[in-house]
Amino acid sequence: MSAAQKGGRLTTTVTRRSLSRRVFGTIFSVAMLVVVVFSLVGTAYVQGQLVRLAHDELENQIDFIAATLNSTSDDTFILHNLSQQNTRITLIDADGTVLYDTEADADGMVNHLSRPEVAQALETGRGSSERASSTLGEVMLYEAVRLDDSTVVRLAQELGLWVILRPSPYICAEWEFGGLP
């Protein structure tokens, strides 16, 4: 066998190895891209479901609180003694004046008539929004209901959703650092 033939075989072997590495690299890159895309889509889905559940929970809480306030005469006494963990409660007069708030002094608060959930509740009886709180500076979920005396009770919960991606075959979603599995 001549040196040229050996050289030709060597070139063919190197070319085959190089080609197989390129094919493997391409397949690996596509597989990683698919994993990343599915992880992002799964994360968005889980986050959307948790936000929907938080809205549903706020709706249930506000229905209970509204029924209680509609059946009593001293709203601020009831609200002051009501224990709602991680939920901000605000009582707003029909003109937008804040009558009670669990997180801030009601006397120092600006008029709430222009808040989307309050305006919607005054107009239709119920309102909701997801926006940044101008008082607390955090993204909050809001639910508001117009009471029988035309005041509005509003509940707010921080949108404290953290989705953690792990290098494993599952995604762990945690609500307000409630605990890692």
Side-chain angles (χ1 to χ4, degrees), residues 12-26:
T12 304
T13 305
V14 170
T15 304
R16 284 185 188 162
R17 245 186 246 156
S18 177
L19 180 62
S20 65
R21 282 186 180 170
R22 285 188 291 184
V23 168
F24 175 76
T26 302

Side-chain angles (χ1 to χ4, degrees), residues 23 29 33 35 37 41-42 47-48 50 69-71 87 89 96 104 107 116 137 142 157 160 178:
V23 168
S29 298
L33 181 64
V35 167
V37 167
V41 168
Q47 185 169 358
L50 289 175
L69 294 177
N70 279 330
S71 66
T87 303
I89 305 172
D107 295 331
Y142 292 95
Q157 236 179 25

Side-chain angles (χ1 to χ4, degrees), residues 45-61 130 141 143 157 159 161 173 175:
Y45 175 77
V46 168
Q47 185 169 358
Q49 290 299 314
L50 289 175
V51 168
R52 186 186 57 75
L53 288 173
H55 269 293
D56 291 347
E57 180 183 333
L58 273 181
E59 282 181 8
N60 290 336
Q61 288 177 0
E130 181 180 323
L141 299 175
E143 291 291 331
Q157 236 179 25
L159 188 59
L161 176 66
W175 194 261

Side-chain angles (χ1 to χ4, degrees), residues 76 79-81 89-92 97-102 104 106 109:
T76 52
L79 292 174
H80 184 69
N81 290 307
I89 305 172
T90 308
L91 184 64
I92 304 158
T97 305
V98 176
L99 303 173
Y100 175 82
D101 191 272
T102 56
M109 296 181 75

Side-chain angles (χ1 to χ4, degrees), residues 58-60 62-63 117 119-128 143-146:
L58 273 181
E59 282 181 8
N60 290 336
I62 203 162
D63 288 341
E117 67 281 355
Q120 190 179 13
L122 286 169
E123 184 179 322
T124 66
R126 185 180 220 56
S128 66
E143 291 291 331
V145 170
R146 184 182 61 226

